[in-house]
Amino acid sequence: APAAPAGSAATCCECGTLLDDEAGEVMAPSVGCDAGGCTRWACLACAGFRSEAEAGRKTWFCTLHAPAVAVVAEAEGLRLHLSRSSTGYAGVSKSTHCTGRFHARHKVGGRSLGSFGSAVEAAV
């Protein structure tokens, strides 16, 4: 992930939480988008991680670049349905009960398919 810009405050691209102040002091643990050239950051909860250790082991893509991940998944034999929703995927919504989690629902009957750590995982 890219380094946060020096001399400016960094905020979560999802919820607006202050991540680093103007002096570069870390205010909240965060993760940067792994898409090349992207400068967006998110707090661990919005990125779907439970700890800094987990965030260090996995990749994360902001909502602008997550659809590109969907194209890769589709190329690997999975068909993901994109939408204009806040998550970018049909049938996937942010959890109202667990911060940083996403729920997948089946369109027929509205049956819940479970809770996932990222919107991409829920879409798959």
Side-chain angles (χ1 to χ4, degrees):
S8 63
T11 58
C12 175
C13 64
E14 297 291 324
C15 68
T17 295
L18 182 64
L19 303 173
D20 298 327
D21 66 14
E22 291 179 6
E25 176 93 18
V26 175
M27 307 302 287
S30 60
V31 61
C33 179
D34 287 310
C38 185
T39 59
R40 295 183 72 172
W41 288 78
C43 63
L44 295 184
C46 287
F49 296 117
R50 294 185 182 122
S51 69
E52 289 181 77
E54 180 185 9
R57 292 189 308 267
K58 297 183 177 181
T59 57
W60 174 77
F61 296 96
C62 69
T63 54
L64 294 177
H65 295 104
V69 174
V71 170
V72 171
E74 188 164 337
E76 293 175 352
L78 302 172
R79 182 173 163 91
L80 305 180
H81 299 278
L82 303 179
S83 78
R84 293 180 186 248
S85 70
S86 63
T87 65
Y89 301 98
V92 177
S93 61
K94 283 188 177 182
S95 172
T96 56
H97 303 291
C98 302
T99 303
R101 303 290 290 174
F102 296 83
H103 287 287
R105 294 203 177 275
H106 188 273
K107 286 189 177 186
V108 179
R111 183 173 56 99
S112 177
L113 301 175
S115 175
F116 300 87
S118 73
V120 173
E121 288 176 295
V124 171

